[in-house]
Amino acid sequence: LIANGVPCGFIFFSSTEAWTYTAEHATSFLRIADQLSVIVEKARLVSQLAEQKLRIEEQNEALRRADEQKNRFLGMAAHDLRNPIGTICGMADLLLLHELPAEQRRGFLQDIVDQSGYMRDLLEDLLDVSQIESGKLVLRVEPLDVRELVMAAVERHARLAAPKGIRVACENEAPASAPGDAIRLRQVLDNLLSNAVKFSPPGSAVHVRFVLEGGYRKVEVQDEGPGLTPEDQARLFQDFVRLSARPTGGERSTGLG
């Protein structure tokens, strides 16, 4: 069987008797072979197209997932830039509106410098094309001063919570050190603490405590806000989903924290 000048199969006739097939038989067989060649070639092309279609669909699905991961990564990075920006704006407003002691002014200015450096690190992640394309973050684990990391976050958010009359305080002594990624842990702490302040009623408290559990050092953040209803819990960790609680001081909420 030949299609487009290329062999694509064969058809075989045989008989137990000699000289069964005449020239007329051979002519008929060749005509059948020609028709079968067309059928076989069409079937091969249909099968090939079906395989290509399946591969294209698989590639499209992989691209769709990669695009979702990229968008999730970019959304998270952009969201987490709001915390340091909010801190810088808050500190700058306090410096402009109030006559503060020199030591307190230096502390606020140092906060602005620290937050600017933190934003630079986040932006470097945001501009890291390899991370954006993969949709994954690379952890840089090293020994950390856990107490310094957590207390800095507590003090930072305590100053921002003061206008709402909310007290942010650490209830017990932090362990000295533990391995971790300082930027990622800071992102988590900032999200937990900023949400705690955002959704707590004025005059309440945000409690931070350390727990040693099974060889792990755990940081707990507890606020006195409305908490999460069972319906809210079922919708956690979905992008851009706002839950039933609303910010108590008119703060913005994107549903990405």
Side-chain angles (χ1 to χ4, degrees), residues 51-89:
E51 290 178 2
Q52 289 175 348
K53 181 174 180 290
L54 180 61
R55 283 198 298 271
I56 290 171
E57 288 175 350
E58 290 173 347
Q59 290 170 352
N60 286 339
E61 178 62 21
L63 287 171
R64 186 188 63 77
R65 288 196 300 267
D67 194 53
E68 285 182 355
Q69 288 179 327
K70 178 199 69 177
N71 290 338
R72 189 174 297 114
F73 174 86
L74 291 173
M76 183 188 72
H79 170 273
D80 286 351
L81 283 170
R82 290 180 60 186
N83 278 323
I85 290 172
T87 301
I88 289 172
C89 291

Side-chain angles (χ1 to χ4, degrees), residues 167-188:
R167 182 175 61 88
V168 182
C170 191
E171 295 185 354
N172 59 348
E173 188 72 15
S177 64
D181 185 318
I183 292 179
R184 303 296 163 229
L185 288 171
R186 180 169 176 172
Q187 283 178 276
V188 174

Side-chain angles (χ1 to χ4, degrees), residues 5-47:
V6 179
C8 62
F10 68 89
I11 182 170
F12 179 72
F13 294 89
S14 67
S15 174
T16 56
E17 298 179 10
W19 310 109
T20 299
Y21 303 123
T22 64
E24 288 77 11
H25 287 115
T27 300
S28 297
F29 295 158
L30 287 171
R31 190 162 55 248
I32 292 170
D34 286 341
Q35 293 173 353
L36 281 176
S37 297
V38 174
I39 294 170
V40 169
E41 180 65 6
K42 283 185 177 179
R44 185 187 69 80
L45 290 173
V46 168
S47 177

